Amino acid sequence: MKTDIKSLTFSQLNNEVAALSLPKFRAKQIFEWLHKYGVSSFDEMTNISKELRSKLDKSYFISSVEIEDKYVSAIDGTVKYLFRLYDGEYIESVIMKYKYGYSICVSSQVGCKMGCKFCASTLAGFKRNLLAGELESQLHKAQSDLGVRISNIVLMGIGEPLDNYDNVLCFIRNVNDENGLNISMRNITLSTCGIVPKIYELMNEELPITLTISLHAPNDEIRSRTMPVNDKWGIDEVVNACRDYIEKTGRRVSFEYTLINGVNDTAQCAEELSEKLKGLLCHVNLIPVNDVEERGNVRSSDGAMFAFQQILKNNGINATIRRTLGSDINASCGQLRRKKNEVGK
Ligand code: SAH
């Protein structure tokens, strides 16, 4: 079995290169080809001898993703890719243009085990974790196809990033590396449904990334109705982990709150949420639920959303309503993979 050379950190690659009795500068050259230029074959590494290239080819492979489909929103230019993996599986990524530049939403797993009731990613089942190199290849493929530089990353595509912890951390370190894409940690956001022990593990890495929690409810009763993970780690455990995270890292935490009509969008919910988050250095992102065919959730009215936001604000909690991008191309993740799998059946 060959090792994925793109899923090694720079220091791991240095060790491998030393074990092959090669000079140190080779590691830097190889790392740059893989991560700065995103090559998908050893033959493209033109400043490396043919001999060494074939030697590398014997022990390693270079993970990648291939464009299967591409959708461009006629409304706002948001681009969505359906990527094919080496084993025939599919994942999705979305590229959004903001005033400050391009942002990519990457997938971290093929499917998801978390089972959130409103989410499309769970419907097609969990298959496997993505390799660090497959996470990064989503950027390389999108950048070269669109001819742009991506400056921001959100780990909000298919999958639960903290359920693929080691590979996600390797990915974050590699895209941040100055010999690679050199993307600032401050421009990276990791979103989790609340795997508490992993939040603590992440805290101890002391990375200046932004942590986002998918909260979606103000109490255990409502949260457990839509998010099975809440039965394992309840809302208070999650919020306490965030409090510790903020204290240790000094970084603001964000909470995602998807508003579903009649489920979690009442004034009482807003009051209860304010109470839960009181005194935390945080921000709440209110998101109109995206109606996934099989899920049958109805988005809250604009009036209910504004009222909810106003209550949070009156209670001193920073809250914004997220703008919807790419609504004409099923931009929320999980939807394309699911459709593709259905067609393939
Ligand atoms: N597993 C991680 C990463 C996925 S992020 C997490 O749970 O945070 C994707 C975000 O979109 C999460 O906040 C998720 O709860 C939210 N989401 C999923 N389905 C949605 C839908 N139908 N409408 C709006 N938001 C949704």
Side-chain angles (χ1 to χ4, degrees), residues 118-119 156-157 159-161 191-193 214 216 256 258 289-290 292:
F118 41 79
C119 183
M156 288 194 183
E160 167 49 51
S191 180
T192 177
C193 62
S214 297
H216 306 319
E256 307 282 302
T258 296
V289 72
N290 204 307
V292 179

Side-chain angles (χ1 to χ4, degrees), residues 31-300:
F31 193 90
E32 280 185 346
W33 282 118
L34 292 171
H35 301 281
K36 188 182 277 184
Y37 304 112
V39 301
S40 47
S41 73
F42 291 106
D43 281 342
E44 292 166 75
M45 302 183 174
T46 46
N47 57 0
I48 290 174
S49 73
K50 249 199 157 122
E51 260 170 276
L52 178 52
R53 278 186 264 159
S54 73
K55 194 168 169 183
L56 291 172
D57 201 26
K58 288 210 173 73
S59 315
Y60 305 100
F61 73 98
I62 303 174
S63 61
S64 188
V65 301
E66 301 303 328
I67 300 174
E68 173 79 8
D69 271 320
K70 175 183 176 184
Y71 304 82
V72 183
S73 166
I75 303 171
D76 51 47
T78 297
V79 179
K80 178 156 188 168
Y81 290 102
L82 181 69
F83 286 123
R84 192 179 56 256
L85 309 179
Y86 70 86
D87 53 359
E89 294 293 341
Y90 296 102
I91 52 157
E92 300 168 35
S93 321
V94 180
I95 289 81
M96 292 151 289
K97 190 175 181 195
Y98 290 102
K99 275 192 271 265
Y100 54 75
Y102 287 89
S103 182
I104 187 168
C105 176
V106 295
S107 292
S108 58
Q109 297 179 310
V110 182
C112 186
K113 300 177 202 157
M114 299 299 134
C116 299
K117 296 266 160 51
F118 41 79
C119 183
S121 297
T122 302
L123 287 168
F126 174 81
K127 280 288 165 47
R128 67 172 175 88
N129 284 329
L130 289 191
L131 300 167
E134 290 174 320
L135 269 140
E136 191 181 351
S137 294
Q138 298 171 59
L139 276 93
H140 287 136
K141 275 287 140 90
Q143 284 199 151
S144 69
D145 183 58
L146 298 172
V148 301
R149 179 177 185 274
I150 292 169
S151 58
N152 289 64
I153 300 173
V154 296
L155 283 141
M156 288 194 183
I158 298 173
E160 167 49 51
L162 294 187
D163 188 40
N164 183 16
Y165 189 88
D166 293 342
N167 296 349
V168 163
L169 265 280
C170 174
F171 159 71
I172 290 174
R173 295 210 156 91
N174 281 348
V175 292
N176 174 247
D177 200 293
E178 60 182 7
N179 298 309
L181 290 170
N182 198 14
I183 294 177
S184 162
M185 292 253 184
R186 291 181 188 279
N187 294 353
I188 300 176
T189 298
L190 185 151
S191 180
T192 177
C193 62
I195 301 188
V196 169
K198 293 292 177 187
I199 295 177
Y200 281 100
E201 217 175 311
L202 184 66
M203 168 188 328
N204 290 325
E205 315 267 356
E206 298 196 49
L207 306 176
I209 62 171
T210 300
L211 177 67
T212 291
I213 309 286
S214 297
L215 204 61
H216 306 319
N219 60 42
D220 283 329
E221 199 255 310
I222 299 178
R223 195 161 191 262
S224 286
R225 257 192 260 159
T226 53
M227 300 181 72
V229 68
N230 195 67
D231 295 335
K232 203 146 188 194
W233 297 286
I235 193 163
D236 288 335
E237 274 183 275
V238 173
V239 172
N240 285 336
C242 291
R243 189 169 287 116
D244 293 342
Y245 190 96
I246 295 163
E247 201 165 292
K248 172 113 188 208
T249 62
R251 310 252 328 143
R252 176 192 300 262
V253 167
S254 289
F255 293 98
E256 307 282 302
Y257 195 105
T258 296
L259 289 160
I260 310 173
N261 186 38
V263 174
N264 62 1
D265 66 343
T266 61
Q268 197 196 335
C269 286
E271 292 290 355
E272 222 179 311
L273 182 65
S274 310
E275 198 53 40
K276 271 276 174 275
L277 303 182
K278 209 160 86 182
L280 278 187
L281 178 66
C282 72
H283 177 94
V284 177
N285 261 318
L286 298 170
I287 310 159
V289 72
N290 204 307
D291 192 15
V292 179
E293 265 163 49
E294 289 88 332
R295 296 307 205 185
N297 288 313
V298 178
R299 59 183 280 167
S300 304

